Amino acid sequence: MRNVICLIGNPNCGKTTLFNALTGTYRKVGNFPGVTVESKEGRYRKNKDIIITDLPGLYSFSAGSDDEKAVTDYILKNSPDVIINVVDGTNLERNLNLTCALASLDKPMCIAVNMCDDLEKNGIKLDDKKLSELFGVPVVKISALKGRNIDRLMEVALNEAKVPDIKEYSGTFGKSEGAAYAFIEKHIDKIIKVRQTRAELFTSRADRILMHRIFGIPIFIAVIFLTYYLSSRLGGALGGKITQAAALLSEKTSAAMTTRGIHAWTTGLVTDAVIKGLSTVLSFLPQILILFLLLTVIEESGYAARAAFILDRLFRTFGLGGKSMLPLTVSCGCTVTGIMATRIIEDEAEKRMTVFLAPFMPCGAKTAVFGWFSYCFFGGNALISTSMYFLSILCVAVFGRLLKSLKTFGGGSGAFLLEIPTLRFPSFKDIIMVLWTKIKEFLLKAGTIIFSVSVVLWILQNVGINGYTDGNTEESFLFYIGNGIKYIFYPLGFGNWQASVSVVTGILAKEAVIETMTVVSSDARALFDSVYSAYAFMAFVLLSPPCVSALAAARRELKSGKWFVLMILFQSAAGYSVALVINLLGMLQERFSGLILSVVIGIIVLTAAALAFKKNMRSGCGCCGKCSGGVKKCPKK
Amino acid sequence: MLLSELSVGESGIVTAMNLTKALRTRLVDMGIVCGVRVTLVRKAPFSDPLEIRVRNFNMGIRVKEAEKIEIKPVGLVKL
């Protein structure tokens, strides 16, 4: 009985969509080569004895990057019973190269030609019989997205899969370079008549704007700005309703419990810790959902791959490459998945650097913290949360540059060979699934980590050496803990025990920062010396080491304890120094208003003058560019 | 002529690839072999990387790599 089936195919050919359709589960898909970075097993929804594995996409078995190695290892180790080779019908020629490589594995196989609905729509005929004859294996035309023919595919895979037998070609494809392509070129015309599809035509037109040499980058900035602006604007408005509802609930519960004569201790725990703490975090759910929705659209439409292309040159100046774009974009949703996405980067130094820098991005949880801060300190100004995104980009650039100058990171950036996929509309089903998964994750986190943090904090805050403190927080354990570490944060403008404790709980989950502040203090505004130090705190949350789950992911990807420790030190130092600079500038600004502007203008003027001076000094006569001038007569002249 | 020297919209047939073994294998995997026709679709901001069309799909490649690929120009195609 055959019961272990694996899906193999080129990156971005729809394996994950097929996997989701076959197993009835949900896995993230994207229109960006390399979204699947680890293999995942699932069971066929019509027969639970059959295990289906989704593997990362690959072009061949030459194993260039970590995810390709993972596939090779998987096949060698697990020896699947049947291979379903998923090929993209709209891109058959290149996809069949992998089929040739798979043929030499001598495993029962069948070919699933995906995206057949696209072919039909455009009147492109694909001769599946010819294809089947060519490789000696059964071929099924499917549409994974529409779920068409997928049960037929499983039937064929289970009963008719054959070891490939290529009659037209004797010998092995691996022997000479490009032999497989030569073979495919010879036969492809009999199988398919390639024509430009409507989607491709649309793509080539849209790309003229999206990837424009001058407007490409401004468009990218606008897209990101809009994403953040919308999520904090719309999400903030919706979140306000949740807060109002929770306040009402808290009031009612408190009143009800008091009239029934329940001890103040219990009432406080329920209303202050549980209801207030959880609802504050919960009120940011709409904001996070909108952020995820927009990021999913960016990724699934294929725009993320285009962003990688237009930003590659710019990113290289910071020691990153265009391929770091995906981990960084994904990190804006969640740092854990962002760090995992670094597997698509072939170059070791570039990958390490991306792992170091990806946690700088404002993830969903951090966005919630920023939303709360901008609400408390800046009158709900959406620009404040959006500015965090640009601060993170700036820090990636500056600290990337800094790391690059170190010898260990200085390695040349590896090759950038990135498929630029056809643009497509994200499927409604996928978007709903992304949102649903996020809601589940968020509620789970709120129910476990955030809930326990609330309770533990409340207890620590209300219990001291002498037992229940009855509202006298200055006798509580939490007070002593916070006071022990508060001096570290004094230079940043929030050297008090409440803010210090928030920083510590933030390591468990970033949302816990808001949660802690609402539990330990009635007015968060009192915790900060000025709005500048509140902003410094936001910067510290943005840049300091990420939550425990992200740290665990980073440890896995770095594969070395030494690098992991270095990463934590690096991020702590980065967060601390940026927050320090912001707070110091804030202090100066408060003391001498107008000073900051003067300093900034002064620096710009002086830098421009220095650059102009340096250029004139250096050029000498300008004939060789090497001499720094000061020579009486140019030896070359 | 080198792949990096093509103007936007021009095509060429690959004649030689002077790359390291690993990189060469990757290009071959993606369908860039001697004899294949490549078209320069566009250049990114700062003229690097390049978007090329090969075997009916588009991909990005950096100038550094494109400089190592020799081609024989075959003229303009309408994009």
Side-chain angles (χ1 to χ4, degrees):
Chain A
M1 177 67 193
R2 290 163 168 175
N3 51 14
V4 181
I5 293 180
C6 72
L7 307 177
I8 300 185
N10 275 190
N12 207 33
C13 72
K15 289 177 302 297
T16 304
T17 312
L18 178 61
F19 176 84
N20 288 343
L22 285 175
T23 57
T25 54
Y26 177 71
R27 242 195 125 167
K28 190 178 161 60
V29 292
N31 190 10
F32 191 106
V35 172
T36 304
V37 284
E38 53 181 14
S39 52
K40 190 187 172 189
E41 284 185 358
R43 285 174 190 276
Y44 182 36
R45 65 189 156 75
K46 293 205 170 163
N47 181 352
K48 300 281 176 198
D49 293 333
I50 297 164
I51 297 170
I52 302 170
T53 316
D54 181 25
L55 294 168
L58 73 174
Y59 291 109
S60 79
F61 284 100
S62 45
S65 59
D66 283 1
D67 52 335
E68 289 183 357
K69 274 178 219 146
V71 177
T72 321
D73 286 351
Y74 177 87
I75 295 174
L76 290 176
K77 234 186 256 164
N78 297 354
S79 183
D81 297 321
V82 183
I83 292 173
I84 295 183
N85 176 207
V86 186
V87 299
D88 174 358
T90 60
N91 200 345
L92 202 61
E93 198 171 331
R94 196 200 61 219
N95 276 254
L96 288 180
N97 179 52
L98 180 68
T99 312
C100 291
L102 287 173
S104 52
L105 290 178
D106 281 336
K107 287 255 173 227
M109 190 170 110
C110 73
I111 298 175
V113 183
N114 195 12
M115 323 235 180
C116 279
D117 50 333
D118 262 9
L119 292 181
E120 272 167 35
K121 238 189 284 170
N122 290 284
I124 299 172
K125 289 209 170 61
L126 185 141
D127 192 336
D128 50 335
K129 292 223 173 59
K130 284 260 164 57
L131 184 61
S132 172
E133 277 166 26
L134 195 63
F135 287 97
V137 297
V139 172
V140 184
K141 289 199 217 177
I142 62 162
S143 163
L145 193 67
K146 302 239 164 82
R148 203 192 299 167
N149 256 354
I150 57 167
D151 290 320
R152 165 102 190 97
L153 172 69
M154 284 305 285
E155 249 171 65
V156 170
L158 293 170
N159 304 316
E160 295 166 37
K162 285 197 196 84
V163 174
D165 172 26
I166 304 175
K167 293 194 180 69
E168 310 269 340
Y169 189 85
S170 53
T172 29
F173 288 116
K175 286 276 160 59
S176 74
E177 185 182 285
Y181 274 111
F183 166 74
I184 298 161
E185 268 170 32
K186 219 167 89 192
H187 299 280
I188 190 91
D189 287 345
K190 281 175 260 167
I191 298 167
I192 194 167
K193 284 270 173 294
V194 178
R195 229 181 32 200
Q196 191 174 41
T197 62
R198 260 174 284 171
E200 280 170 343
L201 189 68
F202 171 75
T203 301
S204 81
R205 284 190 185 148
D207 279 353
R208 268 183 231 159
I209 304 162
L210 294 179
M211 293 159 89
H212 192 274
R213 289 188 68 177
I214 296 159
F215 303 124
I217 291 177
I219 288 174
F220 171 77
I221 294 174
V223 166
I224 293 298
F225 180 82
L226 218 69
T227 304
Y228 274 84
Y229 194 80
L230 280 179
S231 84
S232 60
R233 236 340 188 344
L234 280 176
L238 290 171
K241 299 266 183 293
I242 298 183
T243 318
Q244 280 170 9
L248 201 70
L249 179 71
S250 165
E251 216 174 274
K252 288 265 155 68
T253 322
S254 173
M257 285 174 92
T258 318
T259 48
R260 279 180 185 75
I262 295 167
H263 191 270
W265 211 97
T266 328
T267 315
L269 182 66
V270 172
T271 54
D272 289 348
V274 180
I275 299 184
K276 205 167 150 203
L278 282 186
S279 71
T280 320
V281 176
L282 213 61
S283 66
F284 290 96
L285 187 60
Q287 197 171 332
I288 294 174
L289 285 184
I290 295 172
L291 180 68
F292 267 91
L293 175 81
L294 296 172
L295 287 175
T296 311
V297 172
I298 289 179
E299 225 182 286
E300 270 209 33
S301 62
Y303 184 68
R306 283 156 176 85
F309 178 77
I310 48 179
L311 294 173
D312 181 62
R313 181 68 195 82
L314 206 61
F315 270 52
R316 253 184 291 160
T317 46
F318 323 134
L320 297 168
K323 282 199 183 176
S324 314
M325 248 320 285
L326 179 74
L328 291 179
T329 320
V330 174
S331 293
C332 294
C334 173
T335 315
V336 177
T337 34
I339 287 174
M340 273 161 60
T342 57
R343 287 185 204 175
I344 60 160
I345 303 169
E346 290 102 345
D347 188 87
E348 207 44 49
E350 193 179 315
K351 179 182 165 178
R352 196 176 293 142
M353 186 106 125
T354 314
V355 174
F356 270 52
L357 297 172
F360 282 1
M361 302 315 283
C363 71
K366 288 180 194 167
T367 318
V369 178
F370 302 148
W372 188 71
F373 265 77
S374 72
Y375 172 74
C376 285
F377 296 93
F378 304 95
N381 192 342
L383 286 177
I384 292 293
S385 347
T386 315
S387 76
M388 277 291 140
Y389 183 82
F390 290 96
L391 179 68
S392 76
I393 300 245
L394 186 73
C395 289
V396 165
V398 171
F399 287 99
R401 193 72 224 212
L402 200 79
L403 284 180
K404 197 190 168 198
S405 65
L406 302 175
K407 238 186 195 148
T408 33
F409 281 99
S413 33
F416 172 83
L417 299 171
L418 179 73
E419 189 186 337
I420 298 171
T422 309
L423 286 170
R424 65 173 182 228
F425 285 101
S427 84
F428 185 68
K429 198 170 124 200
D430 280 340
I431 288 182
I432 295 297
M433 288 312 286
V434 166
L435 295 185
W436 175 232
T437 318
K438 271 298 131 195
I439 293 175
K440 267 200 300 197
E441 254 173 40
F442 191 87
L443 292 180
L444 190 73
K445 204 157 142 192
T448 52
I449 301 181
I450 310 282
F451 179 78
S452 353
V453 169
S454 305
V455 174
V456 170
L457 271 178
W458 193 87
I459 292 173
L460 281 178
Q461 190 196 358
N462 285 284
V463 177
I465 303 168
N466 306 321
Y468 183 54
T469 57
D470 200 16
N472 192 0
T473 323
E474 309 216 332
E475 281 172 20
S476 70
F477 286 125
L478 199 65
F479 179 74
Y480 291 107
I481 298 172
N483 270 320
I485 49 173
K486 73 175 185 190
Y487 299 102
I488 306 173
F489 302 110
Y490 182 73
L492 309 186
F494 45 91
N496 51 62
W497 67 272
Q498 293 99 326
S500 312
V501 169
S502 314
V503 168
V504 176
T505 52
I507 299 171
L508 291 173
K510 294 288 167 188
E511 297 96 332
V513 171
I514 316 173
E515 210 281 325
T516 311
M517 286 200 166
T518 41
V519 172
V520 300
S521 142
S522 52
D523 182 14
R525 264 170 288 198
L527 303 181
F528 296 93
D529 299 352
S530 63
V531 284
Y532 303 104
S533 55
Y535 198 75
F537 186 87
M538 288 164 78
F540 188 76
V541 170
L542 177 74
L543 304 170
S544 60
C547 66
V548 273
S549 334
L551 286 175
R555 174 68 188 81
R556 275 200 303 275
E557 292 309 318
L558 288 170
K559 297 181 198 118
S560 124
K562 188 189 95 185
W563 282 111
F564 179 61
V565 172
L566 279 175
M567 185 195 81
I568 293 180
L569 290 176
F570 163 75
Q571 287 159 352
S572 311
Y576 197 85
S577 55
V578 172
L580 184 65
V581 168
I582 292 174
N583 189 43
L584 289 181
L585 287 178
M587 279 159 85
L588 284 174
Q589 173 72 15
E590 283 205 322
R591 185 66 50 89
F592 315 98
S593 68
L595 184 104
I596 301 288
L597 194 65
S598 320
V599 168
V600 170
I601 295 177
I603 289 176
I604 294 173
V605 171
L606 285 177
T607 321
L611 282 177
F613 186 71
K614 199 175 152 199
K615 201 180 167 200
N616 283 318
M617 277 294 289
R618 229 191 91 214
S619 52
C621 68
C623 70
C624 63
K626 276 181 192 162
C627 130
S628 56
V631 182
K632 265 189 190 152
K633 194 168 179 284
C634 176
K636 279 199 171 175
K637 275 188 180 163
Chain B
M1 193 177 173
L2 302 172
L3 176 57
S4 54
E5 291 166 352
L6 278 177
S7 306
V8 171
E10 280 182 344
S11 300
I13 304 282
V14 175
T15 53
M17 297 196 289
N18 312 311
L19 292 154
T20 56
K21 180 103 198 324
L23 206 51
R24 193 187 164 97
T25 319
R26 286 197 72 74
L27 280 168
V28 170
D29 288 344
M30 293 187 85
I32 302 176
V33 293
C34 290
V36 80
R37 182 195 177 115
V38 290
T39 309
L40 183 69
V41 180
R42 71 167 52 77
K43 293 178 177 182
F46 313 110
S47 299
D48 189 15
L50 312 172
E51 183 183 352
I52 57 170
R53 187 163 179 84
V54 59
R55 294 186 197 275
N56 211 27
F57 79 99
N58 293 23
M59 65 178 276
I61 182 170
R62 284 186 187 148
V63 169
K64 202 178 90 198
E65 275 85 43
E67 275 170 350
K68 309 276 170 56
I69 299 174
E70 288 175 30
I71 52 152
K72 196 176 79 200
V74 289
L76 221 75
V77 287
K78 200 175 161 283
L79 276 174

